[in-house]
Amino acid sequence: MKVLSWRIASVTSLLLAAAGVTHAEQVSGTFVAPVFKFGNNDIQNDSVVENADGSFTMSGTDGSQAAGWLLGWNINVDYDPFINGSVTLTNFSSSAHNYTLFLDLPVGAFGPTSVFGGSLTATVFDDNGDSFASLGRSDAANASPGIYQGTIDGTGVLDLFGAISCSGSGPHCSATLTDDNGLPGPTIPGPAVNGHIGTILKFNLSAGDRVVLNTNFTVEPSPVPLPASAWMLIAALGCMSYLFVTRRRAGDALPAAPI
């Protein structure tokens, strides 16, 4: 029974491979640093920790009040692949500014197609107490249609989030908004992945205020339907297994022959 079951599983695996179902290559125990930039500046992580599931958590802070901005991050990356985590940015200057946060993660190639999904939750805080705080799309010339963009091999495939603000409710107000697509899942059909996935955050933050951005981008190989002949073979193997087990149990139930 165990031998037959193993053979069925083996044949099924071969059929799945023949149908073109592939998976991203997991880089176990090895941290392959992504390209991580704030504007034009490379970001250096203060800490990289490997998690039990093989993913890695990057964390750190950069900037200062004297520099006019302070950035903090705690981002989980997996080469299977996904990117999710939290980024906090404070604008200490006396005017609103455009900001760009870019992360490109090298991953194992898979295809011929993929499915993906992503989300962004943003909370904006009136830190300077002027009863107003806003987060909106960057007005830079090359800004994406949304604050959030998910990318596959450098090409934007998902744009999320418009704008959020708080005002009129007194000093130190705050506001939160979430936008997502293709989740839970992921479910949005996409191209093959040749070696990279990424996220780009381009936004405008009001003067003296702070934003917390919780972001997620997940990409997986899309399941390829097996041909009808393959399903017929799997069904036949299942029937054989059932008959084998039934007959063996029937044989075990027979009384011993008299001596």
Side-chain angles (χ1 to χ4, degrees), residues 20-182:
V21 180
T22 59
H23 299 273
E25 181 180 354
Q26 176 68 36
V27 185
S28 178
T30 303
F31 177 69
V32 182
V35 177
F36 194 21
K37 290 180 175 291
F38 180 61
N40 295 320
N41 301 315
D42 292 326
I43 293 177
Q44 303 298 321
N45 292 293
D46 297 331
S47 172
V48 176
V49 177
E50 184 178 5
N51 303 309
D53 62 358
S55 66
F56 292 86
T57 299
M58 312 182 306
S59 59
T61 60
D62 198 1
S64 64
Q65 188 165 355
W69 55 271
L70 181 65
L71 177 70
W73 62 94
N74 190 285
I75 300 175
N76 210 30
V77 297
D78 194 299
Y79 305 102
D80 235 7
F82 65 75
I83 299 168
N84 67 61
S86 176
V87 175
T88 301
L89 179 70
T90 302
N91 176 11
F92 289 114
S93 72
S94 57
S95 60
H97 277 284
N98 293 325
Y99 299 97
T100 299
L101 191 69
F102 175 91
L103 192 149
D104 185 79
L105 179 69
V107 298
F110 59 86
T113 56
S114 65
V115 286
F116 63 86
S119 65
L120 177 68
T121 298
T123 303
V124 65
F125 298 89
D126 168 31
D127 277 4
N128 64 0
D130 64 357
S131 302
F132 174 78
S134 70
L135 173 75
R137 296 184 181 95
S138 170
D139 54 19
N142 61 344
S144 57
I147 289 175
Y148 164 111
Q149 186 172 72
T151 66
I152 295 177
D153 296 319
T155 299
V157 295
L158 180 62
D159 293 293
L160 297 175
F161 215 95
I164 184 175
S165 64
C166 69
S167 62
S169 58
H172 305 293
C173 62
S174 65
T176 300
L177 186 66
T178 297
D179 191 14
D180 65 83
N181 197 1

